[in-house]
Amino acid sequence: TKTGTRYVGILTDGTTWALYHEVDGELLLVTELIVHGAQDHESLVSWLEAILATRDGIAPTPTEIEQRLGAESPAHLLDHESVKALWETGKNHPEVALKRDLWAKLLRTAFGTAFADDDDLFVDHTLLVLTAETIAHAIIGYDVSAAGNVGPAAIAQGTAFSSAQIYGAVEADFFDWVVQVPGGEEFVRSLADRISRFTWEEVEHDVLKILYESIISASTRATLGEYYTPDWLAERMVADAVQDPLNQTVLDPSCGSGTFVFHAIRNYLAAADAAGIANGQALDGLTTRVLGMDVHPVAVTLARVTYLLAIGRERISATDRGPLAVP
């Protein structure tokens, strides 16, 4: 199509609603919903909307993220199967195979025998990173919709960020293999179009943590020792421990998706505003005062995007903002 979006098929007899996608000319069932009368009409509407993505201006609350992008949503199930099909198509391509090997090597180095090298996990990690990187483009004001002017390869490799003088946020990595496979650019465009329907200007939580916890199973996270702190607890702990944010340095040495970093940034910027510090100066100080580290490549990508979410589009787009390097 002109916009490069994909088509899916929905079949129904009025009671059972089945979602299909096409792989190599064959229709494959992704998921289905059984409607038990008029009382289930809201479930049907939500199911259809998650697939068709016709609604705009969606607030990125934990509930909306879970419902529209989470593991049980038909949109995620379709995305997972789409990326899995792309992997099956491209896995013998030398560069694609190399990126898959680098991913496994890094996680094996970080987690040892706790890491299970699994294609489905690689697919889910790829999808999480592509989602986060698309959100990052939306945060700084790029139109990532199907009608926008940021191409799929640029989204996956972060080439637009250098022109915006934002560094260390989105970079070429081993998850951009998707755009090297036939049909991959079409998939990224479709994913980005759905991401564009959220309002990313103002976010109040570490929403990427919600997405990660939904998509990566609790058993996998427990095996790797991953435990994510609720936002309400992180916010209280930051407020209690960081009482002089303009002069204290905050480092989360196992930051995960960046929950503590998010609230430390908000704490610092609120203090900067109270002290009458100009936006550009505040951002310069912020990147030396609030830092995060992690050994998990997906967590690092999510935390980088969370850093931008915490700053917010208004500050990032302000004319007095100088070069910004996510630490």
Side-chain angles (χ1 to χ4, degrees):
T1 66
K2 289 182 179 180
T3 58
T5 54
R6 64 183 171 184
Y7 286 97
V8 297
I10 299 174
L11 301 179
T12 184
D13 59 4
T15 298
T16 301
W17 295 72
L19 172 64
Y20 288 84
H21 75 139
E22 182 184 356
V23 178
D24 297 329
E26 181 181 0
L27 283 179
L28 301 178
L29 177 66
V30 176
T31 186
E32 62 183 19
L33 175 73
I34 299 176
V35 179
H36 300 286
Q39 69 271 20
D40 280 352
H41 75 280
E42 289 187 7
S43 297
L44 175 59
V45 169
S46 296
W47 189 83
L48 288 171
E49 213 292 311
I51 298 166
L52 301 175
T54 54
R55 180 181 155 196
D56 289 317
I58 305 166
T61 63
T63 299
E64 293 285 8
I65 292 292
E66 177 77 27
Q67 180 176 321
R68 297 174 186 280
L69 301 176
E72 298 305 316
S73 69
H76 169 74
L77 295 170
L78 178 59
D79 286 343
H80 178 89
E81 291 304 314
S82 297
V83 177
K84 191 171 183 178
L86 290 171
W87 164 244
E88 290 297 327
T89 298
K91 65 183 179 182
N92 293 322
H93 185 288
E95 190 171 343
V96 173
L98 175 61
K99 291 181 177 183
R100 168 72 167 76
D101 290 343
L102 289 171
W103 166 82
K105 182 179 180 180
L106 180 56
L107 286 177
R108 193 177 298 112
T109 301
F111 296 106
T113 57
F115 167 66
D117 190 346
D118 177 74
D119 280 350
D120 278 332
L121 183 61
F122 179 62
V123 165
D124 280 335
H125 280 183
T126 298
L127 183 53
L128 278 166
V129 168
L130 288 174
T131 300
E133 291 175 342
T134 304
I135 292 170
H137 285 79
I139 296 164
I140 66 172
Y142 286 110
D143 181 3
V144 297
S145 72
N149 56 4
V150 183
I155 289 174
Q157 296 168 349
T159 53
F161 276 77
S162 58
S163 61
Q165 292 189 299
I166 297 177
Y167 307 101
V170 178
E171 302 168 339
D173 56 27
F174 36 64
F175 296 115
D176 62 14
W177 64 268
V178 169
V179 295
Q180 297 174 273
V181 177
E185 291 199 359
E186 179 185 34
F187 169 77
V188 174
R189 172 57 70 206
S190 178
L191 173 67
D193 194 50
R194 280 182 284 111
I195 296 299
S196 73
R197 300 182 186 278
F198 289 85
T199 55
W200 299 106
E201 292 85 350
E202 189 64 34
V203 178
E204 297 302 325
H205 302 85
D206 175 8
V207 294
L208 294 178
K209 169 184 63 185
I210 305 300
L211 197 58
Y212 186 87
E213 288 187 303
S214 173
I215 292 175
I216 305 302
S217 69
S219 60
T220 298
R221 286 185 278 115
T223 298
L224 298 179
E226 297 177 344
Y227 297 92
Y228 284 75
T229 307
D231 275 272
W232 65 266
L233 180 56
E235 185 176 13
R236 290 188 185 185
M237 291 176 68
V238 167
D240 183 66
V242 189
Q243 298 183 353
D244 186 12
L246 297 180
N247 296 301
Q248 288 177 269
T249 299
V250 178
L251 166 65
D252 185 346
S254 54
C255 67
S257 60
T259 303
F260 280 100
V261 169
F262 181 95
H263 292 287
I265 290 170
R266 289 293 171 90
N267 193 33
Y268 178 94
L269 293 176
D273 285 344
I277 299 174
N279 179 61
Q281 184 182 349
L283 294 183
D284 286 342
L286 170 67
T287 55
T288 66
R289 290 294 183 187
V290 180
L291 308 95
M293 296 173 61
D294 209 289
V295 297
H296 196 309
V298 175
V300 169
T301 298
L302 300 190
R304 287 170 170 174
V305 179
T306 295
Y307 208 99
L308 298 180
L309 284 168
I311 294 172
R313 182 185 293 179
E314 183 177 354
R315 289 182 180 273
I316 291 173
S317 302
T319 56
D320 67 343
R321 193 261 302 166
L324 177 66
V326 177

